[in-house]
Amino acid sequence: MPPTDASTDAGAGPTPTAGETADDTLDLHLPDELVALFGDTDTGPDSSPPAGPGKPRGSGPAGSPGAARPATADPAAAQPLPADSARLGTALGPLSGGAPRRATGHPVVQDLLDSPGDWAPATTSVGVFHLVPVRLERDLPLLTQWMNDPAVAAFWDLAGPASVTAAHLRAQLDGDGRSVPCLGVLGTTPMSYWEIYRADLDPLARHYPARPHDTGVHLLIGGVADRGRGVGTTLLRAVADLIIDNRPHCPRVIAEPDLRNTPSVSAFLSAGFRFHAEVDLPDKRAALMVRDRALRNLL
């Protein structure tokens, strides 16, 4: 479910302590219309299910560059939005007369993420970085190679033949646009994988008080040479800034790295995210990390 980053040395930021109380900046609850999408679930801070038995995913060695299987891989997340998009209410803004339709009668899919592929590159201390939406026929071999790196597989749980990675990507590429898989290209070199997703429309929203247009990130650093030297932290900050700059309705960038991946949690802290709470997700215990629009120039 969570993103992680192994390109930052352990100890790059303070490690959150278990049981740390949440501050009062995450005090809103899901609108009733959005709750209806997920069924009758309690969306308050105490709604997370108890940790299940057995070893949670993402318990690999500290410093691994992968992330446990993202929340967007949940089949519930891949379901298309209902034709009557007005059910989303304030989560997507007012829609009069239901979803617009083409001449064929099919609903027009909304741009739920403001077209990450059109975002301008970011100039960073490690070079020019941009997000390039994944094309299956072009990118599958490289992404399959990364997913079979043991350090990545420990967190993403997508090791195996190309068909395993392809199924994960198709769930997003053929979905309703609530998650966009991208290559992270530094200069001219693809070196990382990112998923930009609507956290408020994701199963993750069952586990924290989501706000409309909250935007989540999952990532892995594919290039071994880019791990362990702070590149991930730099790119995390750059991508969070890209989201905030290009998604004017997004109040916060959300992430949920595995709590045991100390280098990943430290990378998020160093990139301007703050630790909000520990949350029990279906496949791991995660650190809920938040980068607030209002605090972007302070952290």
Side-chain angles (χ1 to χ4, degrees), residues 162-188:
S163 59
V164 174
T165 301
H168 176 78
L169 294 170
R170 285 196 184 100
Q172 300 170 80
L173 296 172
D174 297 339
D176 54 29
R178 72 181 69 186
S179 181
V180 177
C182 297
L183 284 180
V185 179
L186 189 59
T188 59

Side-chain angles (χ1 to χ4, degrees), residues 33-34 36-38 75-89 91-92 95 99-101 106-113 171 174-179 198 200-202:
E33 297 90 339
L34 184 55
L37 292 179
F38 296 133
Q79 297 301 315
L81 291 174
D84 181 10
S85 298
R87 289 181 59 197
L88 294 179
L92 296 181
L95 294 172
R101 294 179 177 269
H106 296 297
V108 175
V109 176
Q110 293 192 13
D111 185 351
L112 299 179
L113 284 163
D174 297 339
D176 54 29
R178 72 181 69 186
S179 181
R198 282 288 295 270
D200 60 325
L201 302 181
D202 189 87

